[in-house]
């Protein structure tokens, strides 16, 4: 599976940009647990990876929890993840540095997609 294309032609919530992987996430704070969910599509057709964190959306706590969750799930250091857009919004854009193919494979597994 390549970034931006799935076997059923549905858009994926990540793409490659200059050697980095750019990920769109829809975050639900104040959840019962921290977890990565499935790929979902917004009303405008954009694909997002759903994520939930226990942290509240105040003082950047939910954003920090999201970065920690993504880092743990993908087995990369949190410092390899940067919040690019959406600091105060539910839909966020993250930039992940590292081996883009390995990151994509890990995201496919985390989102429950078939390779």
């Amino acid at each position: 599976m390549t970034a931006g294309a799935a076997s059923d032609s549905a858009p994926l919530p990540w793409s490659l940009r200059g050697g980095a992987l750019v990920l769109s996430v829809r975050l639900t704070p104040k959840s019962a647990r921290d977890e990565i969910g499935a790929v979902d599509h917004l009303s405008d057709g954009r694909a997002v990876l759903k994520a939930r964190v226990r942290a509240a959306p105040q003082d950047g706590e939910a954003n920090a929890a999201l970065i920690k969750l993504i880092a743990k799930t993908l087995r990369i250091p949190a410092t390899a993840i940067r919040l690019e857009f959406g600091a105060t919004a539910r839909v966020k854009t993250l930039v992940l540095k590292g081996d883009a193919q390995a990151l994509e494979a890990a995201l496919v597994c985390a989102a429950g997609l078939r390779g």
Side-chain angles (χ1 to χ4, degrees):
M1 188 173 298
T2 60
S7 58
D8 61 356
S9 299
L12 293 174
W14 57 81
S15 62
L16 300 177
R17 181 180 8 145
L21 192 133
V22 180
L23 175 64
S24 294
V25 178
R26 183 179 188 281
L27 181 63
T28 302
K30 294 173 62 175
S31 179
R33 62 180 179 242
D34 295 342
E35 69 179 353
I36 300 292
V39 172
D40 197 11
H41 295 88
L42 303 177
S43 60
D44 63 5
R46 286 184 297 161
V48 291
L49 182 65
K50 295 193 309 187
R52 298 171 185 248
V53 295
R54 291 183 298 238
Q58 61 188 16
D59 300 325
E61 291 176 15
N63 292 335
L66 172 63
I67 289 172
K68 183 177 177 182
L69 174 63
I70 297 287
K72 181 179 177 184
T73 301
L74 301 182
R75 297 182 177 168
I76 61 174
T79 56
I81 302 173
R82 177 175 54 89
L83 177 63
E84 184 171 57
F85 297 112
T88 59
R90 281 185 175 245
V91 177
K92 302 176 182 302
T93 301
L94 302 174
V95 177
L96 291 68
K97 295 179 183 175
D99 180 347
Q101 289 182 332
L103 292 172
E104 183 177 16
L107 283 168
V108 167
C109 290
L113 300 173
R114 302 281 181 222

